[in-house]
PDB file of all heavy atoms in Angstrom:
ATOM      1  N   ARG A 507      17.850  22.482 -24.756  1.00  0.00           N
ATOM      2  CA  ARG A 507      19.022  22.978 -25.524  1.00  0.00           C
ATOM      3  C   ARG A 507      20.301  22.951 -24.743  1.00  0.00           C
ATOM      4  O   ARG A 507      21.330  22.655 -25.371  1.00  0.00           O
ATOM      5  CB  ARG A 507      18.737  24.506 -25.845  1.00  0.00           C
ATOM      6  CG  ARG A 507      17.766  24.756 -26.904  1.00  0.00           C
ATOM      7  CD  ARG A 507      17.894  26.158 -27.426  1.00  0.00           C
ATOM      8  NE  ARG A 507      18.010  27.162 -26.499  1.00  0.00           N
ATOM      9  CZ  ARG A 507      16.942  27.818 -25.961  1.00  0.00           C
ATOM     10  NH1 ARG A 507      15.737  27.515 -26.261  1.00  0.00           N
ATOM     11  NH2 ARG A 507      17.087  28.743 -25.082  1.00  0.00           N
ATOM     12  N   VAL A 508      20.223  23.081 -23.531  1.00  0.00           N
ATOM     13  CA  VAL A 508      21.392  22.962 -22.645  1.00  0.00           C
ATOM     14  C   VAL A 508      21.859  21.512 -22.693  1.00  0.00           C
ATOM     15  O   VAL A 508      23.188  21.261 -22.827  1.00  0.00           O
ATOM     16  CB  VAL A 508      21.160  23.364 -21.106  1.00  0.00           C
ATOM     17  CG1 VAL A 508      22.217  22.863 -20.269  1.00  0.00           C
ATOM     18  CG2 VAL A 508      20.938  24.862 -21.022  1.00  0.00           C
ATOM     19  N   GLY A 509      21.011  20.594 -22.605  1.00  0.00           N
ATOM     20  CA  GLY A 509      21.426  19.164 -22.686  1.00  0.00           C
ATOM     21  C   GLY A 509      22.073  18.823 -24.055  1.00  0.00           C
ATOM     22  O   GLY A 509      23.067  18.173 -24.086  1.00  0.00           O
ATOM     23  N   ARG A 510      21.453  19.371 -25.087  1.00  0.00           N
ATOM     24  CA  ARG A 510      22.061  19.054 -26.453  1.00  0.00           C
ATOM     25  C   ARG A 510      23.422  19.721 -26.595  1.00  0.00           C
ATOM     26  O   ARG A 510      24.360  19.107 -27.174  1.00  0.00           O
ATOM     27  CB  ARG A 510      21.077  19.577 -27.562  1.00  0.00           C
ATOM     28  CG  ARG A 510      19.957  18.664 -27.740  1.00  0.00           C
ATOM     29  CD  ARG A 510      19.235  18.972 -29.034  1.00  0.00           C
ATOM     30  NE  ARG A 510      18.614  20.295 -28.979  1.00  0.00           N
ATOM     31  CZ  ARG A 510      17.388  20.600 -28.639  1.00  0.00           C
ATOM     32  NH1 ARG A 510      16.591  19.554 -28.381  1.00  0.00           N
ATOM     33  NH2 ARG A 510      16.935  21.781 -28.685  1.00  0.00           N
ATOM     34  N   ALA A 511      23.562  20.972 -26.102  1.00  0.00           N
ATOM     35  CA  ALA A 511      24.763  21.660 -26.135  1.00  0.00           C
ATOM     36  C   ALA A 511      25.979  20.836 -25.442  1.00  0.00           C
ATOM     37  O   ALA A 511      27.010  20.647 -25.917  1.00  0.00           O
ATOM     38  CB  ALA A 511      24.730  23.048 -25.585  1.00  0.00           C
ATOM     39  N   LEU A 512      25.674  20.450 -24.205  1.00  0.00           N
ATOM     40  CA  LEU A 512      26.778  19.741 -23.479  1.00  0.00           C
ATOM     41  C   LEU A 512      26.942  18.318 -24.034  1.00  0.00           C
ATOM     42  O   LEU A 512      28.159  17.841 -24.121  1.00  0.00           O
ATOM     43  CB  LEU A 512      26.278  19.528 -22.001  1.00  0.00           C
ATOM     44  CG  LEU A 512      26.308  20.859 -21.228  1.00  0.00           C
ATOM     45  CD1 LEU A 512      25.681  20.602 -19.809  1.00  0.00           C
ATOM     46  CD2 LEU A 512      27.644  21.411 -21.090  1.00  0.00           C
ATOM     47  N   ALA A 513      25.986  17.726 -24.570  1.00  0.00           N
ATOM     48  CA  ALA A 513      26.104  16.408 -25.225  1.00  0.00           C
ATOM     49  C   ALA A 513      27.006  16.548 -26.459  1.00  0.00           C
ATOM     50  O   ALA A 513      27.842  15.711 -26.767  1.00  0.00           O
ATOM     51  CB  ALA A 513      24.785  15.767 -25.562  1.00  0.00           C
ATOM     52  N   GLY A 514      26.642  17.649 -27.227  1.00  0.00           N
ATOM     53  CA  GLY A 514      27.524  17.924 -28.403  1.00  0.00           C
ATOM     54  C   GLY A 514      28.923  18.196 -28.081  1.00  0.00           C
ATOM     55  O   GLY A 514      29.808  18.114 -28.945  1.00  0.00           O
ATOM     56  N   ALA A 515      29.108  18.685 -26.932  1.00  0.00           N
ATOM     57  CA  ALA A 515      30.503  19.042 -26.480  1.00  0.00           C
ATOM     58  C   ALA A 515      31.281  17.809 -25.883  1.00  0.00           C
ATOM     59  O   ALA A 515      32.390  17.892 -25.392  1.00  0.00           O
ATOM     60  CB  ALA A 515      30.599  20.206 -25.428  1.00  0.00           C
ATOM     61  N   GLY A 516      30.576  16.647 -25.868  1.00  0.00           N
ATOM     62  CA  GLY A 516      31.310  15.386 -25.474  1.00  0.00           C
ATOM     63  C   GLY A 516      30.853  14.957 -24.119  1.00  0.00           C
ATOM     64  O   GLY A 516      31.463  14.013 -23.521  1.00  0.00           O
ATOM     65  N   TYR A 517      29.922  15.625 -23.334  1.00  0.00           N
ATOM     66  CA  TYR A 517      29.496  15.265 -22.015  1.00  0.00           C
ATOM     67  C   TYR A 517      28.303  14.214 -22.140  1.00  0.00           C
ATOM     68  O   TYR A 517      27.572  14.146 -23.064  1.00  0.00           O
ATOM     69  CB  TYR A 517      29.049  16.428 -21.249  1.00  0.00           C
ATOM     70  CG  TYR A 517      30.085  17.420 -20.912  1.00  0.00           C
ATOM     71  CD1 TYR A 517      30.589  18.408 -21.887  1.00  0.00           C
ATOM     72  CD2 TYR A 517      30.668  17.438 -19.709  1.00  0.00           C
ATOM     73  CE1 TYR A 517      31.573  19.262 -21.500  1.00  0.00           C
ATOM     74  CE2 TYR A 517      31.625  18.328 -19.335  1.00  0.00           C
ATOM     75  CZ  TYR A 517      32.060  19.181 -20.262  1.00  0.00           C
ATOM     76  OH  TYR A 517      33.091  20.075 -19.982  1.00  0.00           O
ATOM     77  N   VAL A 518      28.348  13.324 -21.153  1.00  0.00           N
ATOM     78  CA  VAL A 518      27.379  12.337 -21.022  1.00  0.00           C
ATOM     79  C   VAL A 518      26.439  12.559 -19.897  1.00  0.00           C
ATOM     80  O   VAL A 518      27.007  12.888 -18.806  1.00  0.00           O
ATOM     81  CB  VAL A 518      27.934  10.904 -20.848  1.00  0.00           C
ATOM     82  CG1 VAL A 518      26.862   9.839 -20.610  1.00  0.00           C
ATOM     83  CG2 VAL A 518      28.784  10.572 -21.960  1.00  0.00           C
ATOM     84  N   GLU A 519      25.141  12.598 -20.059  1.00  0.00           N
ATOM     85  CA  GLU A 519      24.190  12.888 -18.961  1.00  0.00           C
ATOM     86  C   GLU A 519      24.147  11.782 -17.958  1.00  0.00           C
ATOM     87  O   GLU A 519      24.019  10.607 -18.373  1.00  0.00           O
ATOM     88  CB  GLU A 519      22.769  13.204 -19.519  1.00  0.00           C
ATOM     89  CG  GLU A 519      21.845  13.663 -18.487  1.00  0.00           C
ATOM     90  CD  GLU A 519      20.483  14.208 -19.024  1.00  0.00           C
ATOM     91  OE1 GLU A 519      20.278  13.921 -20.233  1.00  0.00           O
ATOM     92  OE2 GLU A 519      19.749  14.908 -18.282  1.00  0.00           O
ATOM     93  N   ALA A 520      24.249  12.173 -16.675  1.00  0.00           N
ATOM     94  CA  ALA A 520      24.182  11.171 -15.608  1.00  0.00           C
ATOM     95  C   ALA A 520      23.304  11.593 -14.486  1.00  0.00           C
ATOM     96  O   ALA A 520      23.764  12.207 -13.484  1.00  0.00           O
ATOM     97  CB  ALA A 520      25.666  10.946 -15.102  1.00  0.00           C
ATOM     98  N   PRO A 521      21.987  11.335 -14.581  1.00  0.00           N
ATOM     99  CA  PRO A 521      21.065  11.744 -13.543  1.00  0.00           C
ATOM    100  C   PRO A 521      21.345  11.007 -12.274  1.00  0.00           C
ATOM    101  O   PRO A 521      21.714   9.796 -12.336  1.00  0.00           O
ATOM    102  CB  PRO A 521      19.701  11.378 -14.030  1.00  0.00           C
ATOM    103  CG  PRO A 521      19.859  11.201 -15.573  1.00  0.00           C
ATOM    104  CD  PRO A 521      21.248  10.686 -15.638  1.00  0.00           C
ATOM    105  N   ASN A 522      21.175  11.592 -11.218  1.00  0.00           N
ATOM    106  CA  ASN A 522      21.433  11.029  -9.823  1.00  0.00           C
ATOM    107  C   ASN A 522      20.262  11.202  -8.885  1.00  0.00           C
ATOM    108  O   ASN A 522      19.442  12.076  -9.085  1.00  0.00           O
ATOM    109  CB  ASN A 522      22.712  11.585  -9.234  1.00  0.00           C
ATOM    110  CG  ASN A 522      23.973  11.245 -10.025  1.00  0.00           C
ATOM    111  OD1 ASN A 522      24.440  10.246  -9.900  1.00  0.00           O
ATOM    112  ND2 ASN A 522      24.438  12.274 -10.718  1.00  0.00           N
ATOM    113  N   TYR A 523      20.183  10.384  -7.822  1.00  0.00           N
ATOM    114  CA  TYR A 523      19.171  10.518  -6.824  1.00  0.00           C
ATOM    115  C   TYR A 523      19.429  11.868  -6.111  1.00  0.00           C
ATOM    116  O   TYR A 523      20.596  12.351  -5.908  1.00  0.00           O
ATOM    117  CB  TYR A 523      19.199   9.372  -5.779  1.00  0.00           C
ATOM    118  CG  TYR A 523      18.694   8.108  -6.350  1.00  0.00           C
ATOM    119  CD1 TYR A 523      19.516   6.973  -6.403  1.00  0.00           C
ATOM    120  CD2 TYR A 523      17.464   7.983  -6.775  1.00  0.00           C
ATOM    121  CE1 TYR A 523      19.020   5.806  -6.927  1.00  0.00           C
ATOM    122  CE2 TYR A 523      16.882   6.812  -7.326  1.00  0.00           C
ATOM    123  CZ  TYR A 523      17.769   5.683  -7.422  1.00  0.00           C
ATOM    124  OH  TYR A 523      17.265   4.562  -7.821  1.00  0.00           O
ATOM    125  N   PRO A 524      18.357  12.513  -5.649  1.00  0.00           N
ATOM    126  CA  PRO A 524      18.541  13.846  -5.015  1.00  0.00           C
ATOM    127  C   PRO A 524      18.696  13.806  -3.511  1.00  0.00           C
ATOM    128  O   PRO A 524      18.533  14.780  -2.826  1.00  0.00           O
ATOM    129  CB  PRO A 524      17.159  14.493  -5.248  1.00  0.00           C
ATOM    130  CG  PRO A 524      16.170  13.487  -5.280  1.00  0.00           C
ATOM    131  CD  PRO A 524      16.910  12.158  -5.885  1.00  0.00           C
ATOM    132  N   PHE A 525      19.210  12.698  -3.086  1.00  0.00           N
ATOM    133  CA  PHE A 525      19.429  12.519  -1.569  1.00  0.00           C
ATOM    134  C   PHE A 525      20.911  12.661  -1.228  1.00  0.00           C
ATOM    135  O   PHE A 525      21.847  12.059  -1.897  1.00  0.00           O
ATOM    136  CB  PHE A 525      18.908  11.244  -1.116  1.00  0.00           C
ATOM    137  CG  PHE A 525      17.475  10.875  -1.628  1.00  0.00           C
ATOM    138  CD1 PHE A 525      17.166   9.815  -2.449  1.00  0.00           C
ATOM    139  CD2 PHE A 525      16.464  11.772  -1.325  1.00  0.00           C
ATOM    140  CE1 PHE A 525      15.964   9.598  -2.893  1.00  0.00           C
ATOM    141  CE2 PHE A 525      15.125  11.501  -1.786  1.00  0.00           C
ATOM    142  CZ  PHE A 525      14.857  10.465  -2.640  1.00  0.00           C
ATOM    143  N   ILE A 526      21.241  13.308  -0.126  1.00  0.00           N
ATOM    144  CA  ILE A 526      22.642  13.440   0.329  1.00  0.00           C
ATOM    145  C   ILE A 526      22.704  13.198   1.869  1.00  0.00           C
ATOM    146  O   ILE A 526      21.658  13.339   2.549  1.00  0.00           O
ATOM    147  CB  ILE A 526      23.263  14.687  -0.031  1.00  0.00           C
ATOM    148  CG1 ILE A 526      22.394  15.948   0.620  1.00  0.00           C
ATOM    149  CG2 ILE A 526      23.288  14.830  -1.457  1.00  0.00           C
ATOM    150  CD1 ILE A 526      23.052  17.206   0.441  1.00  0.00           C
ATOM    151  N   GLY A 527      23.827  13.002   2.386  1.00  0.00           N
ATOM    152  CA  GLY A 527      24.122  13.014   3.813  1.00  0.00           C
ATOM    153  C   GLY A 527      24.856  14.315   4.125  1.00  0.00           C
ATOM    154  O   GLY A 527      25.693  14.802   3.305  1.00  0.00           O
ATOM    155  N   GLU A 528      24.625  14.842   5.232  1.00  0.00           N
ATOM    156  CA  GLU A 528      25.276  16.185   5.645  1.00  0.00           C
ATOM    157  C   GLU A 528      26.749  16.093   5.724  1.00  0.00           C
ATOM    158  O   GLU A 528      27.409  17.088   5.674  1.00  0.00           O
ATOM    159  CB  GLU A 528      24.610  16.720   6.881  1.00  0.00           C
ATOM    160  CG  GLU A 528      23.143  17.079   6.770  1.00  0.00           C
ATOM    161  CD  GLU A 528      22.490  17.623   7.966  1.00  0.00           C
ATOM    162  OE1 GLU A 528      22.768  18.881   8.171  1.00  0.00           O
ATOM    163  OE2 GLU A 528      21.851  16.926   8.657  1.00  0.00           O
TER     164      GLU A 528
END
Side-chain angles (χ1 to χ4, degrees):
R507 287 202 310 272
V508 167
R510 284 194 294 265
L512 290 174
Y517 290 81
V518 176
E519 187 170 14
N522 294 283
Y523 288 117
F525 311 117
I526 59 171
E528 293 183 79

